[in-house]
Amino acid sequence: GGRFEVALSPSVQPTASGLDEVSFLVAGHAGAAPRPVGKVASGGELSRIALAIAVTTSRLGAAPTLIFDEVDAGIGGTVAQTVGRLMKQLGRDRQVLAVTHLPQVAACADHHFVVAKRPQDGRVRSDIRPVAGEARVAEVARMLGGERLSGTSLAHAQEMLSVGATASPVRKGRKA
């Protein structure tokens, strides 16, 4: 039930970018009046709007790399799978980097890195390490069920990674 609109209004005077002012308006749910995206959208919503625009215009642009920071904020389940599939679709033509906390999104990636923060000498240090094979299965299982891994979470992680590796693009007409 959400809506995204583009509003054009004449500028008071000509600017370097033209004679019109462009505003992006969004209504998060049915019945809500569209308002300026910068006033109503959270960081996660802004990322998902950027993802939708990137997917919609992917054939038009030539940006070699797209970066999404926590595009999965405030979502889960089926929507997270859709976001993962959309990013995989974008990754066919360019490099897509995403920070995610959801296993549904991570399982669609071609490569997986774990970022961990830890205190060191009174400061916070970030470590980044690639995970692949069984280590990746364990990481997705940790994302699913926490630090204590079980046979069930490992099996679920393996299944998610198998499905994510062959994720098909979102079909036209389906909502993301």
Side-chain angles (χ1 to χ4, degrees):
R3 290 192 339 241
F4 178 81
E5 297 178 4
V6 179
L8 297 174
S9 57
S11 294
V12 175
Q13 57 184 342
T15 68
S17 59
L19 297 172
D20 294 313
E21 293 191 21
V22 180
S23 300
F24 295 134
L25 308 173
V26 67
H29 51 81
R35 295 185 43 215
V37 77
K39 294 187 178 194
V40 297
S42 67
E45 288 168 328
L46 288 172
S47 291
R48 287 187 291 283
I49 290 168
L51 175 62
I53 291 169
V55 170
T56 303
T57 62
S58 65
R59 299 284 182 230
L60 303 175
T65 303
L66 299 171
I67 301 170
F68 297 99
D69 184 12
E70 298 191 23
V71 70
D72 58 7
I75 64 171
T78 303
V79 175
Q81 287 177 321
T82 301
V83 167
R85 284 197 315 268
L86 287 170
M87 286 195 291
K88 188 168 193 75
Q89 177 181 334
L90 282 173
R92 290 190 180 124
D93 300 322
R94 65 205 72 219
Q95 181 178 22
V96 176
L97 303 174
V99 175
T100 183
H101 296 279
L102 292 181
Q104 295 93 330
V105 174
C108 291
D110 292 329
H111 303 281
H112 191 147
F113 295 83
V114 174
V115 179
K117 294 180 181 181
R118 61 182 171 85
Q120 181 181 9
D121 300 326
R123 299 176 67 187
V124 175
R125 177 179 168 89
S126 295
D127 294 316
I128 302 172
R129 65 179 169 82
V131 290
E134 292 304 312
R136 184 170 184 208
V137 173
E139 177 58 21
V140 172
R142 186 198 63 76
M143 293 172 81
L144 281 164
E147 294 296 325
R148 186 173 172 189
L149 302 181
S150 68
T152 302
S153 65
L154 289 166
H156 190 188
Q158 183 64 57
E159 180 182 351
M160 288 179 77
L161 288 163
S162 295
V163 170
T166 60
S168 59
V170 177
R171 291 183 291 277
K172 288 185 179 180
R174 292 190 62 191
K175 293 183 179 180

